[in-house]
Amino acid sequence: MIEVLVTGGAGFIGSNFVRHALAAHADWRVTTLDKLTYAGRADTLHDVLDDPRHTFIRGDVGDQSLVEPLLARSQIVVHFAAETHVDRSISGALQFVQTDVIGTAVLLEAARNARRLQRFIQISTDEVYGSVATGASRETDELKPRNPYSASKTAADRLAYSYFATYGVPVIIVRPSNNYGPYQYPEKVIPLFVTNAIDEKALPLYGDGQNVRDWLHVSDHCRALDLLIARGDIGEVYNVGGGNDVRNIDLTRRILALLDRPESLIAPTPDRPGHDRRYCLDSTKIQALGWRPDMPFERGLEDTVTWYRENEWWWRPIKDGDASFRAYYDAHYARPR
Ligand code: NAD
Ligand code: TYD
């Protein structure tokens, strides 16, 4: 059996990856390590918690005595755990430095002495390139992060690279674009807008709504990770973009149309400080290995809307029942920016 450690596996992409990994690899034994912050919930792994090939451990990636034995027995590490919401990084940057930078450093230190380790997959982000006015970012482009989240992720990305270059840790760095799909925490734009629209509440669209994101379905991302674990070159960086460049205003209108809700629900909202205008990835490097995104954006968005309609059991306790979400929402969206 191949021992796989997934950090942040109770979050959005991590939980989709755990599910994908157990289904696709009968010879993998998966350990999820997750702190269960506000963004992680054991519920999200409801259908795999009892799988005999899956173990869930609640803990912090920054806890050295916990991660050392986990790394020592792992052949593959996929490191998703992070603080991930840009808006929260603007109102409280230090937790992002703590988890995304220091937490990654602790894991990498443990990886130095992990004799069985064959792959350490560092999940980075397209946001490390900063805002790109034209064209598409390539892996060799300069990194120009512009908010505390992307700056912390850039530090982790380069730290991971340094552990390859200096100590030979078998690191591969992955820079995916904006993911969407089931189990995404409803602070991120697609699940926030879908669930608000279901409830006929306002959709707080920042600024002029012209910002562009490149949307990647989480299932395409999971397939890309599989490929990179099997065939990616150690020490290399790979962009993984969905090839779906969409303006926020167009995304918002599509969500409203899919839910048969009026455009009068769009609520222009003061812009995010330092809001990156556009992200766009050149993914030719991973495409040369044989990966292509399979999910057309129209279908992926429709499936995602359907998933949120059919799975209120998952998101309604967060939006309606979790006092900390309510407090965040009220403070964040009421605040003039
Ligand atoms: P998420 O916020 O949904 O989940 C993060 C998970 O990490 C949660 O389960 C949380 O409990 C856990 N976690 C946080 N701090 C931890 C700690 N100290 N120790 C252990 N677990 C901890 O995030 P996501 O959207 O699934 O993102 C996963 C990764 O992918 C992140 O590294 C993120 O930077 C990266 N990424 C995300 C996107 C996107 O669109 N969502 C795009 C590109 C890259
Ligand atoms: P988000 O989901 O926070 O992802 P990221 O900032 O990491 O790309 O936001 C996606 C886009 O949607 C981004 O341009 C900001 C915008 N947005 C809004 O217009 N309103 C909102 O309430 C949120 C959360 C995001």
Side-chain angles (χ1 to χ4, degrees):
M1 295 295 275
I2 296 178
E3 294 289 345
V4 182
L5 176 66
V6 178
T7 73
F12 163 46
I13 307 174
S15 64
N16 278 278
F17 183 74
V18 168
R19 212 169 268 116
H20 167 88
L22 290 167
H25 302 281
D27 59 340
W28 282 17
R29 207 163 21 220
V30 177
T31 299
T32 295
L33 171 64
D34 198 296
K35 188 180 176 184
L36 300 184
T37 67
Y38 79 92
R41 300 197 311 150
D43 264 10
T44 300
L45 291 166
H46 61 104
D47 49 341
V48 289
L49 282 177
D50 294 333
D51 189 314
R53 288 187 295 120
H54 180 227
T55 306
F56 177 78
I57 298 173
R58 183 174 190 177
D60 192 325
V61 291
D63 179 343
Q64 190 184 349
S65 60
L66 175 64
V67 302
E68 271 177 1
L70 292 177
L71 264 288
R73 70 172 199 227
S74 300
Q75 280 135 295
I76 299 168
V77 173
V78 190
H79 175 36
F80 295 99
E83 291 291 337
T84 62
H85 194 40
V86 173
D87 292 319
R88 291 188 194 248
S89 82
I90 292 167
S91 48
L94 289 185
Q95 190 59 49
F96 285 70
V97 176
Q98 184 61 43
T99 298
D100 302 12
V101 186
I102 309 287
T104 301
V106 170
L107 274 185
L108 287 164
E109 268 300 301
R112 276 178 68 180
N113 303 314
R115 299 280 162 255
R116 305 182 69 200
L117 192 63
Q118 293 165 10
R119 290 286 183 279
F120 185 110
I121 308 294
Q122 172 64 23
I123 306 296
S124 185
T125 168
D126 63 352
E127 304 196 19
V128 297
Y129 298 112
S131 195
V132 287
T134 55
S137 304
R138 305 198 61 158
E139 288 85 351
T140 46
D141 285 357
E142 196 180 340
L143 307 185
K144 294 182 178 172
R146 302 178 65 249
N147 60 61
Y149 163 69
S150 53
S152 302
K153 292 295 292 186
T154 304
D157 175 313
R158 291 299 81 198
L159 204 50
Y161 181 76
S162 79
Y163 272 66
F164 159 73
T166 310
Y167 306 113
V169 174
V171 167
I172 292 176
I173 295 151
V174 186
R175 297 185 184 146
S177 61
N178 281 66
N179 278 227
Y180 71 107
Y183 299 103
Q184 188 169 26
Y185 192 81
E187 66 188 352
K188 303 289 184 345
V189 74
I190 289 183
L192 176 68
F193 282 14
V194 169
T195 56
N196 277 14
I198 288 172
D199 286 348
E200 300 186 58
K201 287 185 183 153
L203 275 47
L205 182 64
Y206 295 161
D208 62 5
Q210 300 294 318
N211 303 63
V212 173
R213 295 294 183 265
D214 168 6
W215 292 100
L216 170 69
H217 195 269
V218 68
S219 60
D220 283 328
H221 185 187
C222 290
R223 285 191 307 102
L225 294 176
D226 249 0
L227 177 71
L228 293 175
I229 289 166
R231 307 219 339 252
D233 284 332
I234 288 168
E236 292 294 315
V237 178
Y238 294 88
N239 288 342
V240 182
N244 301 298
D245 301 354
V246 183
R247 293 183 310 160
N248 289 342
I249 180 66
D250 297 328
L251 171 70
T252 308
R253 290 194 176 118
R254 282 189 206 201
I255 290 170
L256 289 169
L258 284 166
L259 285 158
D260 199 20
R261 296 287 191 260
E263 292 196 3
S264 56
L265 285 180
I266 300 173
T269 299
D271 210 354
R272 172 187 281 173
H275 192 174
D276 286 341
R277 194 65 165 167
R278 176 176 176 270
Y279 301 133
C280 184
L281 287 179
D282 179 325
S283 305
T284 48
K285 188 169 171 182
I286 187 172
Q287 284 168 1
L289 293 178
W291 176 86
R292 293 275 181 294
D294 269 353
M295 182 66 87
F297 186 62
E298 296 69 27
R299 183 155 69 82
L301 189 62
E302 192 174 344
D303 288 357
T304 302
V305 166
T306 302
W307 189 87
Y308 280 91
R309 284 176 99 137
E310 292 177 350
N311 289 279
E312 291 200 15
W313 70 268
W314 185 81
W315 59 265
R316 204 169 276 292
I318 301 171
K319 286 194 76 177
D320 295 355
D322 181 344
S324 73
F325 182 88
R326 207 56 274 148
Y328 161 76
Y329 194 91
D330 291 345
H332 179 69
Y333 290 101
R335 180 161 40 101
R337 271 165 288 140

